[in-house]
Amino acid sequence: MRHQAEADLFFLLHGDHPVLSAGEVRAILEAGGFSYKVKGVLPQVLRCRVNRACIPVISQRAYMTRLCAEELLICHDEPTEIFRGLEGALSSGRMEMGDSFSVSLRRVRRSAQDIDLKALRRQVAGLISSRTGAELNFERPRTRFIGLFSGGRFLFGRILSEVSSKRLSDRRPSRRPFFHPTALHPKLAGCMVNLTRASPGDLLLDPFCGSGSILIEADLLGCKVLGSDIQPLMVRGSRMNLIHYGVRDFHLLLADARKPPFAEVDAIATDPPYGRSATTMGVPTKSLLEDFLHSAAEVLKYGGYLCTASPTELSLADLGRGAGLKVVESYIIPVHGSLTRELVVFRRG
């Protein structure tokens, strides 16, 4: 457990999968040994009581978070409530800042449509400037404030960190030396690694490694990576991609995920084959998953986490329970009109 000053923080999450995004933040906190208390969840916003040492860790690891801010005010999204709250925050001294500041306001999911954000921002900036003497500066502010309208509430905070995009566009499947249509986007691949609670130095296995999406992100997050696939083409293609992105410490094997030639690994993240463009080598998808989950339960260390996915109709969570794994969390992710993916995190023991 980290011993530093705790603070009320809020995280602005990506809007495509906000529930999954919140789960990623919690997983990163747990992997880092941070104790935390969830104070509330709003559309695309997760509010936590947690120590400040988590901020650089979230910034470096998260794939589905936009920014982290120290919460200074939460109230109903009415202008009178907002200004009353800001007056209170200024009077209490909680809004510490340097000699310059900026203010930005955002709507989340079309919240507070009746409020003129430009006019409100001018009023908020004027209030802060008149009460503190600080100068409004949008180019190089000493302190950056953000106000969010979400779910009928207004959150106001001091921005502590904005999460880097990690150059995701450079690692899109279409930009890799070896391309396959089933390849995961790096944002989801990295999120799956984080959901395993893997820490830097841990050995992470992807037994359906395909073109290497998960292994590339796991390496960037500091893991030692181990991959296998039953198709020689995929093993060769994964090797090409890993070398292209500078992954040096990796091992790839031609192996059946149902009979892994491994002793023990710290974490497993994998996206088994399903859908139109995938091949299961003639094995029914449900049987493949059942056999894989039983083998995964044997090679995963006690207390380790497995993150995997399947079409929702296969009831992946139930299959994992049948293999003796504990369900930690489950997420439903629409892929396209005919496919909805269930992403499940399991724990051994």
Side-chain angles (χ1 to χ4, degrees):
M1 183 181 298
R2 308 295 182 96
H3 297 284
Q4 281 199 10
E6 288 192 339
D8 293 327
L9 307 180
F10 64 80
F11 302 92
L12 176 61
L13 310 171
H14 281 260
D16 42 3
H17 305 298
V19 177
L20 177 60
S21 303
E24 183 190 31
V25 171
R26 294 194 301 269
I28 293 170
L29 293 175
E30 292 169 17
F34 298 101
S35 61
Y36 68 94
K37 178 181 179 181
V38 174
K39 296 187 64 181
V41 178
L42 295 168
Q44 280 183 240
V45 179
L46 175 67
R47 301 173 57 232
C48 289
R49 178 73 177 175
V50 62
N51 72 60
R52 296 168 183 267
C54 77
I55 296 164
V57 180
I58 295 290
S59 181
Q60 293 161 12
R61 293 188 63 97
Y63 284 76
M64 294 191 170
T65 298
R66 296 191 182 279
L67 60 82
C68 170
E70 181 179 8
E71 183 178 300
L72 301 171
L73 166 67
I74 181 169
C75 63
H76 292 292
D77 61 359
E78 298 291 335
T80 53
E81 292 264 351
I82 292 170
F83 285 103
R84 185 182 300 117
L86 288 172
E87 287 279 6
L90 286 162
S91 299
S92 68
R94 285 182 289 129
M95 289 177 60
E96 298 175 2
M97 67 183 75
D99 55 5
S100 62
F101 71 98
S102 66
V103 177
S104 61
L105 301 179
R106 298 189 193 180
R107 293 188 181 95
V108 175
R109 295 184 179 270
R110 300 182 62 81
S111 298
Q113 287 292 299
D114 57 333
I115 292 179
D116 184 335
L117 293 191
K118 289 184 179 180
L120 182 61
R121 186 179 67 180
R122 286 195 301 269
Q123 292 173 313
V124 169
L127 174 63
I128 295 173
S129 182
S130 66
R131 291 290 301 273
T132 66
E135 177 187 359
L136 182 64
N137 185 332
F138 287 104
E139 292 184 3
R140 305 182 82 176
R142 186 70 61 87
T143 303
R144 293 183 300 152
F145 294 112
I146 186 167
L148 299 178
F149 291 93
S150 177
R153 307 287 279 176
F154 177 76
L155 286 135
F156 191 80
R158 180 187 298 108
I159 296 176
L160 302 176
S161 174
E162 292 191 88
V163 178
S164 165
S165 65
K166 301 182 179 65
R167 300 180 65 86
L168 295 181
S169 62
D170 294 343
R171 301 197 300 280
R172 289 200 312 261
S174 61
R175 296 208 173 173
R176 300 171 189 167
F178 176 77
F179 171 77
H180 194 274
T182 63
L184 288 177
H185 188 281
K187 184 163 72 171
L188 181 57
C191 178
M192 290 179 69
V193 173
N194 278 324
L195 289 173
T196 69
R197 280 73 171 166
S199 298
D202 283 352
L203 178 61
L204 182 135
L205 167 66
D206 181 354
F208 296 98
C209 69
S211 59
S213 299
I214 287 174
L215 299 178
I216 293 167
E217 303 310 314
D219 174 78
L220 289 171
L221 293 172
C223 298
K224 294 180 288 187
V225 297
L226 174 62
S228 66
D229 204 287
I230 200 170
Q231 298 186 70
L233 175 65
M234 290 302 190
V235 175
R236 291 195 298 270
S238 183
R239 185 180 302 277
M240 289 174 57
N241 288 340
L242 266 63
I243 292 173
H244 176 76
Y245 288 107
V247 182
R248 291 183 174 85
D249 186 12
F250 69 87
H251 296 279
L252 292 173
L253 297 173
L254 184 66
D256 188 336
R258 298 171 297 171
K259 303 172 184 177
F262 314 118
E264 184 177 85
V265 297
D266 298 307
I268 301 174
T270 192
D271 187 36
Y274 50 83
R276 299 191 192 103
S277 301
T279 176
T280 60
M281 307 295 286
V283 180
T285 303
K286 186 172 183 178
S287 297
L288 176 66
L289 287 170
E290 286 179 321
D291 292 345
F292 154 63
L293 289 167
H294 277 88
S295 67
E298 295 177 359
V299 301
L300 183 63
K301 74 174 184 181
Y302 189 84
Y305 291 82
L306 157 66
C307 180
T308 188
S310 80
T312 52
E313 62 267 22
L314 295 180
S315 301
L316 180 59
D318 291 336
L319 296 180
R321 290 189 187 98
L325 297 165
K326 295 182 179 179
V327 175
V328 177
E329 52 209 354
S330 174
Y331 305 95
I332 302 301
I333 305 174
V335 180
H336 51 66
S338 61
L339 178 62
T340 301
R341 175 191 283 133
E342 181 184 17
L343 190 69
V344 183
V345 180
F346 298 100
R347 184 176 184 271
R348 182 186 174 194

